Structure formats: structure tokens, C-alpha cells
Amino acid sequence: MPDFRELLSKTKAQIREVSTAEAADLRASGAAVLDVREPDEFAQGAIPGAVFIPRGQLESNIEARIPDKTKTVVIHCASGVRSVFAAKTLGELGYADVVSVAGGFNKWKDEGREWRAPAVLNAEQRNRYHRHLLVPEVGEEGQQKLLESKVLLLGAGGLGAPAALYLAAAGVGTIGIVDMDVVDHSNLQRQVIHNLDRVGMRKVDSARETIEKLNPDVKVITHDVRLDASNIEEIISGYDLVVDGADNFPVRYMLNDASVKLGIPVVHGSIFRFDGQITVFHPKDGPTYRDMLPEPPPAELAPSCAEAGVLGALPGIIGTLQAIEALKLLLGIGSPLIGRYLTVDALDMEFREFKIRKDPKNEITWENRDQIQVVELDGHCQPAPLQAPTA
């Protein structure tokens, strides 16, 4: 039986080793850098942009984190030993161009090359988000990204309530809420972020109280204002994306124009009795609300849920789907509903998907953003004062 030194020497003969200088050149040319050290080592310093997978989790996680097996992968550990065995493993998994860095991170750092002390989760956070850390597409890096993200909820009602709860539970670091309404008894049939003790309370304050008790990592910013053309750009500009839970057309068109002008994605949701819809409007990468609906329909054809009613559990389905789409966008994973319109018929429990394409006649586009003027659409399908009314 060979001893460790013999096994290491044999393995080195089967893989390619490079110097730290060669590794730096490969990194600069677009190669993926893979760090296979342990979490405590990573926390003390890392190469910026490196994919971190502890050696013991490599086989189960690598294909989700670096799916392109033709991409050059530069592997390093602390001193260049574990990375040798990791390189051999990746070769056996079908990765075509894998190298191990001789001397590892210690030599890289000693030579004065670029490194940083990464943000890491504390013990309490590692326990709270443990199920996320087990998911290769999220992991510690993704969780840190969520904690640094900012999401604006347009409404703290039927759709905003479940979306807010799941985004907060997932650890989205900053959640803004726009709503100028108060909690009413009739809200409690579906707006699960509120409760009976808060009837008469401002919805933004009620939602903030629930979120803060759910997850102290989350900062809640309340916007208890009438949303209009004079303030919408300023409000949404501080966020990575908007979760739209509004239930009137003037707000939706105003939001569309402001989000297109600023390049901010909108996760759109709507509900009506037993029917729900969800899509993602992405100004840079896909169609927007005006591509789907260039002009508002007549008011008589667009009643709000306050007029037509809604099954109480339906907003939970759509709002939760909105939260999922928001998390996917923030993490940069999966296939978001960009250009895809998902409908839910809860009565027959049927899901259908439709395509949305860019309208060549639509002039409110990312390319024309410098010419966009955000204005209010007065008198169109507006059951209540213009604000962020919620389903």
C-alpha cells in the first residue's frame, strides 16, 4: 500500500500544476477560481470572486456551482495539497481543463497578490440559514448576496404579505414597503402579515413589526406615502428589484415607466377571485408591462378584488411565487419568468404559461430611457386614491 507522499506524488503526475503567476493570468483571462479550503480558512482571507466549496463537499456541489465543464478551473487550497486531489476529482467528473495552484493561497498572499477578508455568516446566521447553505445554488456566498440585497414591496396586502414573510425569512437584508393604508378587519382573510390586535394600525408599521420579529437580520424601510409621479423614481431607485402587489392600473403603468427608466426588474403579480397571474418584467432583458398591455382597459373590465372578491388562500400562492422569482433574480439562478406569463386557476388547480414578446410599437424601453417621462394616468381603472393599494 502506498503512503501519503507516494499517493500525492502519483496524483500530481496525473494533473496539471501551475504557479501563482500562471494562476493569476488564467484568472485574468476568465478562468473560474475554486477555493477548496475549510470555512474557517476562507473567513481569514480569499481571492475575490473565487467559488468556495470545502473539499469534503466538492463532489456534491461542483456541478451546480460551475456547470460548464469546458471552462478552465483554477483550484487552490492553503498550500497546494488538497487542491491536487480536488483537481483529479474534477477530471474524473468530466471537467476538461483543471489546474492546481502550487503553494496555494498562502503563497498567493505572501506574494502580495489580490485577496480580501470576505463577509462571512456568524454562528447564529449559519444555524438560521442552514437549509440554504445546503443548497448548492445558494450556499454561503448566495446567502451573503441575499443579506446585501434590497427589495421593495409595492403594498403590504394580499400579495405583499406572503412575499414579505418569505423574503424576510430567506434573509433579504433590506425590505422596503410602500403602503398608505391601515389594517382593517376585512384584510385579515388573506393579509397574513397582520393580525387582529393591529386593526387600525398603519399597514407599513404592522408589516415591519412582524418582519422584525421574524428575522432581526432584516432592515425594514417604510414608505407610508401616496405613490405618485413626483416620488416613485426616488423611492424605487434605492432597490435591486420591485415586487408589485398593486391592484390598480395607474400605479402599474407608473411603476412600469419608472422601472424601465431606471432599469429595475419588477416581479408582477395579480389576483381575481380564483385566478392569479405572475411574470417578471425586466427592462434590460425582456418585455415589460406595456409590451403585454399597451393601454389600460376600460374601468368596467378591470374591477379590483375589493369589488370582485378573492379566495383568501390564493394571494398566498401568487405572493409566494413572487418571492421565489425575486430570490432567483437576486441570486442569479434558474430561469426567471422573463417573457413568460404564468396563470393559476385555483378552482380547477390548473397552471398555464403564455409567452410575452416585446412590442415593436412600444417606445417606453430601456434603450429610450433618457426620453421617458413618468406621469400619472388619471381616471383609468382607479377604484381608490392613487397610492399602493393592495390586493
Side-chain angles (χ1 to χ4, degrees):
M1 293 289 290
D3 61 19
F4 175 75
R5 290 184 179 275
E6 291 173 329
L7 180 60
L8 177 60
S9 178
K10 179 181 178 181
T11 306
K12 281 190 175 186
Q14 298 173 335
I15 61 101
R16 177 185 164 206
E17 274 193 299
V18 297
S19 67
T20 51
E22 291 174 304
D25 290 340
L26 289 170
R27 174 175 175 257
S29 65
V33 178
L34 174 62
D35 186 337
V36 296
R37 297 175 298 159
E38 292 304 304
D40 60 328
E41 297 174 289
F42 179 78
Q44 295 173 24
I47 298 173
V51 175
F52 172 57
I53 307 177
R55 177 65 188 90
Q57 302 173 19
L58 183 63
E59 289 84 353
S60 60
N61 288 328
I62 184 63
E63 290 175 320
R65 302 293 302 281
I66 305 179
D68 183 0
K69 294 188 176 183
T70 65
K71 190 178 183 68
T72 300
V73 181
V74 178
I75 309 179
H76 78 82
C77 58
S79 61
V81 175
R82 284 168 289 178
S83 59
V84 168
F85 296 103
K88 182 174 185 295
T89 295
L90 259 62
E92 293 171 345
L93 289 173
Y95 286 83
D97 188 12
V98 182
V99 299
S100 172
V101 181
F105 180 74
N106 292 342
K107 187 175 183 182
W108 177 282
K109 182 179 177 181
D110 290 343
E111 292 174 342
R113 301 187 186 278
E114 183 184 12
W115 68 280
R116 62 171 173 78
V120 295
L121 303 178
N122 59 40
E124 183 178 340
Q125 289 172 325
R126 293 189 66 82
N127 186 41
R128 174 184 290 274
Y129 306 118
H130 181 62
R131 297 302 190 274
H132 269 178
L133 304 186
L134 296 175
V135 179
E137 291 83 355
V138 183
E140 184 155 348
E141 182 180 345
Q143 189 60 57
Q144 285 289 356
K145 190 179 295 185
L146 292 179
L147 287 166
E148 295 166 3
S149 296
K150 299 179 179 180
V151 173
L152 178 67
L153 296 170
L154 200 59
L159 296 175
L165 290 172
Y166 276 107
L167 291 173
V172 172
T174 301
I175 294 178
I177 306 172
V178 181
D179 203 310
M180 61 174 296
D181 202 358
V182 297
V183 179
D184 183 80
H185 282 89
S186 66
N187 301 147
L188 304 181
Q189 166 251 15
R190 65 204 176 280
Q191 298 180 16
V192 293
I193 204 166
H194 311 299
N195 60 48
L196 192 61
D197 291 339
R198 299 185 196 157
V199 170
M201 188 176 183
R202 308 302 295 182
K203 281 188 177 179
V204 291
D205 294 332
S206 172
R208 178 179 58 191
E209 187 173 322
T210 300
I211 291 171
E212 289 177 345
K213 289 180 178 179
L214 175 64
N215 190 348
D217 286 341
V218 181
K219 175 184 178 182
V220 180
I221 301 174
T222 59
H223 303 275
D224 191 354
V225 296
R226 175 184 182 271
L227 197 65
D228 59 31
S230 70
N231 61 20
I232 188 169
E233 290 181 59
E234 180 183 359
I235 289 174
I236 73 172
S237 63
Y239 297 90
D240 300 311
L241 60 84
V242 177
V243 174
D244 176 18
D247 73 349
N248 74 63
F249 284 98
V251 171
R252 289 174 183 167
Y253 281 94
M254 191 169 55
L255 172 63
N256 174 83
D257 298 353
S259 67
V260 171
K261 184 176 182 178
L262 298 172
I264 299 174
V266 174
V267 182
H268 169 80
S270 59
I271 50 176
F272 178 79
R273 293 181 177 166
F274 296 98
D275 298 324
Q277 300 84 33
I278 177 175
T279 189
V280 173
F281 296 122
H282 201 300
K284 299 179 182 179
D285 297 335
T288 64
Y289 192 75
R290 285 188 183 271
D291 291 309
M292 181 181 75
L293 202 62
E295 298 292 339
E300 63 271 15
L301 298 181
S304 70
C305 75
E307 301 167 308
V310 63
L311 186 69
L314 177 63
I317 297 173
I318 302 302
T320 301
L321 290 175
Q322 286 181 283
I324 292 172
E325 289 299 300
L327 293 172
K328 286 162 55 182
L329 289 168
L330 295 172
L331 291 167
I333 61 173
S335 299
L337 288 170
I338 299 173
R340 300 157 58 199
Y341 191 72
L342 181 68
T343 67
V344 180
D345 178 350
L347 202 56
D348 293 327
M349 198 47 70
E350 182 178 61
F351 288 72
R352 299 181 66 186
E353 184 179 303
F354 302 89
K355 298 295 183 183
I356 305 174
R357 294 179 174 84
K358 290 187 176 182
D359 181 356
K361 297 179 182 179
N362 179 17
E363 296 182 353
I364 299 180
T365 64
W366 171 247
E367 292 72 20
N368 297 334
R369 59 190 177 279
D370 293 339
Q371 303 173 36
I372 296 175
Q373 298 292 323
V374 180
V375 298
E376 300 176 28
L377 301 181
D378 293 325
H380 291 275
C381 318
Q382 189 174 318
L386 188 60
Q387 53 187 58
T390 50

